Amino acid sequence: MPSHRSAAASLLAAVWLCLGVALLGVGAAPPRPSSSCQRDCGGVDIPYPFGIVDSPGDSSSDCAMPGFGLTCHETDVNGGRRTPFYYEVEVVDVSLQQGQARMQNHISSYCYNATTQGMDASEWRLTGTPYRFADTNKFTVIGCQTLAYIEGAHTHEYTSGCVAMCRAESDGDARSALSNDSCSGIGCCQTAIPRGLQYEVEFDSGFNTTKIHNVSRCSYAVLMDASNFTFQTTYATSPRFNTTYGGVGVAPLVVDWVVGNQTCDAARKNSSSYACVSDHSECLDSLNGPAYICNCSKGFQGNPYLQDPEQGCKDINECTDLAKYPCSVPGTCKNLPGGFNCRCPKHTKGDAQNGTCERNHTLGLGEKFGI
Ligand SMILES: *[C@@H]1O[C@H](CO)[C@@H](O)[C@H](O)[C@H]1NC(C)=O
Ligand SMILES: *[C@@H]1O[C@H](CO)[C@@H](O)[C@H](O)[C@H]1NC(C)=O
Ligand SMILES: *[C@@H]1O[C@H](CO)[C@@H](O)[C@H](O)[C@H]1NC(C)=O
Ligand SMILES: *[C@@H]1O[C@H](CO)[C@@H](O)[C@H](O)[C@H]1NC(C)=O
Ligand SMILES: *[C@@H]1O[C@H](CO)[C@@H](O)[C@H](O)[C@H]1NC(C)=O
Ligand SMILES: *[C@@H]1O[C@H](CO)[C@@H](O)[C@H](O)[C@H]1NC(C)=O
Ligand SMILES: *[C@@H]1O[C@H](CO)[C@@H](O)[C@H](O)[C@H]1NC(C)=O
Ligand SMILES: *[C@@H]1O[C@H](CO)[C@@H](O)[C@H](O)[C@H]1NC(C)=O
Ligand SMILES: *[C@@H]1O[C@H](CO)[C@@H](O)[C@H](O)[C@H]1NC(C)=O
Ligand SMILES: *[C@@H]1O[C@H](CO)[C@@H](O)[C@H](O)[C@H]1NC(C)=O
Ligand SMILES: *[C@@H]1O[C@H](CO)[C@@H](O)[C@H](O)[C@H]1NC(C)=O
């Protein structure tokens, strides 16, 4: 579950806003979600195993697998639009085919407070969830005098960290060392994180902005989708980074989700808990340890987690989408379960499905002689 800790460094007080345990979606027999379950929240499609529940962590609803319940409510941030949330984390998009979801991860910050002349920390974590972090994410740290750690939860051991510095003596100009588009330690640092990691941020109090607060008051740290990140010098010297990605204080994160805490081989043995219930679905082992996701078999599309013939994996009628499934002679296209047939024009041979039909020259010659 995500949670937030905000503390004045001098007080060493920690307030955990959210405690509790989200179980992996295992154990219970796959429920059949009722057709009355809400499947849309503010325009975001919420396919099973996800579902809308009344309160975060509610695992009694049959609309979602345990751990996959989202709440749907209005926020100021998105102009009053209804928005799906996993605890306090906004969910932007869910992909069944990729087993991924896009979220808005909270940016942790560490700021000099002129009133108290101390540092204010706002540190976030995202742990105990059915989500693992996709490889496209990087731990991103921004600041002129900062060291942020990414911790494995529970163990409280520093797993990795990132240092960002600027040439910024108390009277110097930190900006001179910064350059746009370059995140390599000056004002900005990014590092990949190990697979399967739980995520918890902590700033090192020995690296603080007390002496450079006129130039760079705040430092930031967040695990985010690095494919959408370009460093701007103003990120290190203003609050701009906090508002770059749509909302306030958030950045995009891609998570891999899994069902079950077993491999496909082990999971298949128990038909009452095996999640890939649709006919024409298949099981894919997770790269992040024992767990799996389901997908429709080749030539089928739909929701592999549903038995329902309407919503489960259904045959793709390739003949109705000639742009995607070319057929040299469209009239000959014949849809088959999981595929399709189509013929080459007369006197040619090859693969009609990818448009590589060619003249059979031997036959051409024979015809000539025949005439
Ligand atoms: C199969 O799954 C069901 C439901 O989760 C569980 O009650 C049962 O113990 C499991 N059986 C085995 C052999 O693991
Ligand atoms: C998998 O999850 C079930 C139910 O939460 C639990 O009883 C079991 O011990 C877990 N197995 C492993 C290997 O973690
Ligand atoms: C699931 O199947 C679709 C279509 O066959 C494919 O594009 C997609 O990559 C598959 N997903 C995974 C995670 O392999
Ligand atoms: C500085 O700290 C005081 C006391 O904790 C707090 O009321 C104030 O909001 C803080 N200022 C800023 C800019 O965060
Ligand atoms: C970086 O780009 C911003 C505009 O995107 C500009 O205001 C700033 O001066 C640039 N910084 C440097 C060092 O070129
Ligand atoms: C800031 O860092 C300096 C040394 O780097 C340290 O002496 C000081 O106590 C730190 N200040 C705070 C508020 O943590
Ligand atoms: C910060 O700026 C204020 C006024 O703008 C100045 O009085 C103060 O000395 C500056 N502090 C530092 C550390 O440069
Ligand atoms: C990158 O961020 C911009 C600005 O928030 C957003 O409009 C765009 O959709 C994002 N692109 C990707 C690939 O996430
Ligand atoms: C960033 O935005 C969040 C959400 O509004 C806010 O709580 C936080 O104080 C902001 N941080 C900074 C350093 O501006
Ligand atoms: C056409 O399909 C055949 C067999 O399916 C394959 O060997 C060949 O490489 C394909 N050609 C193109 C251009 O995709
Ligand atoms: C062309 O057609 C002739 C007669 O039907 C056949 O014997 C021959 O094998 C074909 N050539 C090729 C390359 O398939």
Side-chain angles (χ1 to χ4, degrees):
M1 79 239 77
S3 71
H4 176 238
R5 185 168 52 157
S6 183
S10 55
L11 289 174
L12 287 175
V15 182
W16 298 94
L17 289 187
C18 158
L19 295 170
V21 179
L23 292 173
L24 291 174
V26 283
R32 295 191 190 167
S34 145
S35 58
S36 63
C37 293
Q38 186 183 341
R39 290 288 158 214
D40 175 281
C41 176
V44 180
D45 195 27
I46 312 289
Y48 190 77
F50 290 84
I52 302 295
V53 296
D54 291 337
S55 62
D58 175 3
S59 57
S60 64
S61 166
D62 71 351
C63 289
M65 272 192 207
F68 290 94
L70 307 177
T71 55
C72 180
H73 50 86
E74 285 162 15
T75 62
D76 315 336
V77 177
N78 292 333
R81 180 165 57 77
R82 289 178 76 77
T83 305
F85 281 90
Y86 177 72
Y87 293 88
E88 310 103 278
V89 180
E90 179 187 342
V91 176
V92 176
D93 174 58
V94 169
S95 161
L96 282 185
Q97 279 202 359
Q98 305 306 327
Q100 291 191 323
R102 286 192 296 132
M103 299 183 168
Q104 291 279 58
N105 196 14
H106 290 280
I107 297 173
S108 298
S109 63
Y110 194 47
C111 299
Y112 178 77
N113 184 321
T115 312
T116 61
Q117 301 193 338
M119 298 295 296
D120 288 347
S122 169
E123 295 167 333
W124 287 88
R125 63 176 190 161
L126 193 53
T127 61
T129 73
Y131 310 117
R132 323 281 165 103
F133 304 113
D135 289 342
T136 49
N137 300 304
K138 290 217 164 91
F139 186 50
T140 303
V141 174
I142 286 168
C144 275
Q145 169 90 18
T146 186
L147 166 56
Y149 301 105
I150 181 165
E151 274 183 59
H154 310 309
T155 62
H156 288 284
E157 278 167 10
Y158 294 149
T159 308
S160 188
C162 231
V163 179
M165 305 287 276
C166 303
R167 200 178 301 123
E169 294 79 35
S170 50
D171 56 348
D173 184 356
R175 280 160 285 204
S176 60
L178 298 167
S179 83
N180 279 333
D181 304 335
S182 164
C183 184
S184 51
I186 302 177
C188 179
C189 173
Q190 281 190 318
T191 182
I193 64 162
R195 278 183 188 281
L197 188 79
Q198 302 282 296
Y199 167 74
E200 187 168 340
V201 173
E202 192 170 318
F203 289 96
D204 189 317
S205 62
F207 290 71
N208 59 59
T209 50
T210 307
K211 288 188 177 149
I212 57 165
H213 67 268
N214 280 5
V215 179
S216 174
R217 189 176 76 87
C218 291
S219 306
Y220 303 92
V222 65
L223 183 68
M224 66 176 289
D225 179 10
S227 60
N228 206 5
F229 176 83
T230 317
F231 179 64
Q232 301 284 303
T233 58
T234 47
Y235 290 176
T237 54
S238 79
R240 239 193 82 201
F241 180 61
N242 215 27
T243 53
T244 299
Y245 298 100
V248 181
V250 292
L253 173 74
V254 180
V255 298
D256 293 326
W257 47 268
V258 293
V259 292
N261 57 357
Q262 295 172 296
T263 62
C264 288
D265 279 347
R268 267 189 211 100
K269 291 191 181 126
N270 191 342
S271 57
S272 65
S273 62
Y274 183 51
C276 309
V277 293
S278 176
D279 293 340
H280 309 295
S281 68
E282 56 191 40
C283 185
L284 302 173
D285 279 307
S286 163
L287 299 172
N288 280 312
Y292 64 95
I293 58 170
C294 310
N295 201 0
C296 288
S297 310
K298 193 166 176 290
F300 293 85
Q301 66 186 0
N303 188 330
Y305 302 94
L306 294 173
Q307 225 158 10
D308 183 305
E310 276 310 302
Q311 296 174 66
C313 297
K314 286 195 296 186
D315 178 45
I316 299 171
N317 186 350
E318 291 87 354
C319 297
T320 60
D321 189 354
L322 290 168
K324 200 166 171 196
Y325 305 97
C327 179
S328 299
V329 188
T332 68
C333 185
K334 189 157 171 281
N335 185 39
L336 298 172
F340 68 109
N341 264 347
C342 86
R343 291 205 204 102
C344 278
K346 235 178 181 170
H347 304 318
T348 65
K349 71 181 303 264
D351 185 348
Q353 296 187 7
N354 58 18
T356 53
C357 293
E358 276 164 3
R359 283 193 73 86
N360 177 337
H361 295 292
T362 315
L363 184 64
L365 222 65
E367 277 178 323
K368 251 180 210 164
F369 277 108
I371 296 161

